Amino acid sequence: MVSPQAEAVVDLEAYRHNVATLAAHAPGAALMSVVKADAYGHGLRPVARAARDAGASWLGVVTVEEALALREAGDTGPVLCWLAAPGAAYGAAVEHDVELTASSVEQLDEILNDAPTGRRPRVQLKVDTGLSRNGARGPAWDDLVVAASRAQAAGKVEVTGVWSHLACADEPGHPANDQQETVFRDALDVVGEAGLEPQWRHLANSAALLTRPSAHFDLVRPGIATYGIDPDPAVAGIVDLRPVMTLRGRLAQVKRVPAGTAVSYGHTWTTDRETTLGLVPLGYGDGVLRSASGRAEAAHDGERVPVVGRICMDQLVVDLGDRAARRGDVVTLFGAAPGAPTAQDWATAAGTIAYEVVTRLGDRVVRTHRG
Ligand SMILES: Cc1ncc(COP(=O)(O)O)c(C=O)c1O
């Protein structure tokens, strides 16, 4: 079969390896595979299945819709979602045994009011320990815990968890990590004093899983590392992670050009010798970051070639030099191919993080799942 002209090959065996490796690094905790944002661009359904196969007891998503997509795909295990504006489909979530997060008394009330008659929602309480995003802090945390404890005593809710999220886990020496962990432990004391005994206390994303055993608690929530990408170059090489996504395109055109040929919009790059240009059918319309223009590399036949000139909406140009190349040859932008750059290399070239490199990919890029 001819492979698609632009393809993200997703290696589910590598994914399962990463999940199992990360679970082994946090032996005292259960593991929640974070599969929000279409499994960081890797494809929700197959990745979720692979996560369960690899032993993830939980799946983590952002929206109720993402959680319901998991149920539609046949997933029946524990799922937590954690960000909702008023009007979210809480009722449907409760009906499908999806656990919800309450970040305020107001939100807890919304969940309780929307729960189908006779169903007791399973809710986890989110404490803001210093990231200043979602979650209750200070007196609002005390109020949330009291309200949740009363609602549980009245049989209206089951409080199953307490959790928070770190701001600087990818900088292991940052003082915010200790501070947030202390605030989290204090918040747990408030919960205990209110008579609640939630089973799941969790704080650690990939970076904290890798570097901060004291933050593992009952459950760890890795996302990026399960996809074989280090959370940050500062937190690299701690365990054996394998890249899950390989992004590649097949050359749509190969042509020999003389020295002095200006390439792509704005003519920002000009050949300094006779050379061969290859046209890769991937561009910023597919999520390839335009800001990596002129700095990123790709791999052709096991060797690095530079991306030259501006990355366009649908295509980019590589300088193949005097290499033997033909229309239809595979050029790998990043991933598990000989000589290929990593997603982090593209992030560095684009001045961003590797999370953005994989999650930005659009629907035009065919996802091919293997393993
Ligand atoms: C609440 C929460 N937990 C866990 C994660 C996973 O983080 P990471 O991908 O850094 O492991 C995320 C992702 O941003 C998140 O928002």
Side-chain angles (χ1 to χ4, degrees):
M1 197 186 96
V2 177
S3 58
Q5 65 179 27
E7 183 181 30
V9 179
V10 176
D11 180 349
L12 296 172
E13 196 178 319
Y15 179 82
R16 288 191 299 270
H17 162 86
N18 296 336
V19 170
T21 301
L22 292 162
H25 199 71
L31 186 140
M32 174 187 289
S33 270
V34 179
V35 294
K36 60 181 179 160
D38 198 29
Y40 288 42
H42 292 66
L44 178 68
R45 287 175 172 229
V47 169
R49 218 174 305 123
R52 295 296 192 195
D53 289 347
S57 39
W58 283 83
L59 298 177
V61 292
V62 169
T63 64
V64 170
E65 285 69 26
E66 289 177 314
L68 296 179
L70 287 169
R71 292 297 185 240
E72 261 170 46
D75 186 89
T76 55
V79 172
L80 176 68
C81 50
W82 56 67
L83 186 63
Y90 296 124
V94 175
E95 248 169 54
H96 288 89
D97 290 321
V98 168
E99 300 210 6
L100 295 161
T101 296
S103 286
S104 63
V105 173
E106 192 183 357
Q107 192 179 12
L108 178 64
D109 286 343
E110 287 170 11
I111 295 169
L112 300 188
N113 291 337
D114 213 22
T117 314
R119 293 296 299 263
R120 200 159 60 125
R122 291 164 65 86
V123 171
Q124 304 206 10
L125 308 180
K126 173 99 190 269
V127 53
D128 176 9
T129 53
L131 179 58
S132 306
R133 293 195 323 197
N134 226 357
R137 60 183 284 171
W141 174 248
D142 300 344
D143 293 347
L144 176 57
V145 171
V146 167
S149 148
R150 284 195 187 131
Q152 177 159 297
K156 290 186 193 157
V157 72
E158 188 183 349
V159 178
T160 56
V162 172
W163 69 278
S164 191
H165 194 44
L166 296 170
C168 305
D170 52 359
E171 297 173 59
H174 198 293
N177 295 314
D178 282 343
Q179 286 159 10
Q180 282 196 259
E181 200 179 307
T182 301
V183 175
F184 189 61
R185 289 180 190 281
D186 291 346
L188 290 173
D189 288 344
V190 173
V191 170
E193 283 155 19
L196 292 171
E197 291 175 349
Q199 186 183 358
W200 303 104
R201 301 162 301 163
H202 48 112
L203 183 60
N205 58 3
S206 295
L209 187 166
L210 290 168
T211 64
R212 214 177 160 80
S214 61
H216 288 176
F217 294 95
D218 306 308
L219 182 66
V220 288
R221 297 190 312 268
I224 198 74
T226 63
Y227 303 101
I229 297 172
D230 294 312
D232 187 272
V235 190
I238 295 171
V239 295
D240 169 37
L241 298 176
R242 302 185 185 158
V244 175
M245 181 190 286
T246 299
L247 179 63
R248 62 193 204 181
R250 294 173 60 238
L251 289 174
Q253 182 142 42
V254 173
K255 72 180 146 205
R256 199 73 185 156
V257 296
T261 304
V263 173
S264 192
Y265 289 127
H267 280 180
T268 57
W269 187 82
T270 302
T271 59
D272 60 1
R273 66 202 185 301
E274 184 180 313
T275 191
T276 299
L277 300 178
L279 188 64
V280 181
L282 277 162
Y284 64 81
D286 302 296
V288 175
L289 298 170
R290 183 176 178 274
S291 46
S293 296
R295 280 190 289 272
E297 293 180 315
H300 173 257
D301 202 14
E303 281 179 33
R304 289 284 176 99
V305 291
V307 172
V308 292
R310 284 199 185 137
I311 294 170
C312 309
M313 187 184 295
D314 316 301
Q315 48 202 294
L316 59 84
V317 178
V318 289
D319 180 9
L320 295 166
D322 294 328
R323 307 175 57 72
R326 293 174 52 185
R327 178 172 142 81
D329 282 1
V330 169
V331 168
T332 303
L333 270 55
F334 60 82
T342 61
Q344 179 58 49
D345 290 332
W346 270 79
T348 304
T352 185
I353 52 175
Y355 296 70
E356 195 179 1
V357 171
V358 288
T359 55
R360 277 284 189 101
L361 295 187
D363 290 343
R364 201 162 54 176
V365 180
V366 174
R367 306 304 199 274
T368 304
H369 293 93
R370 300 222 171 118

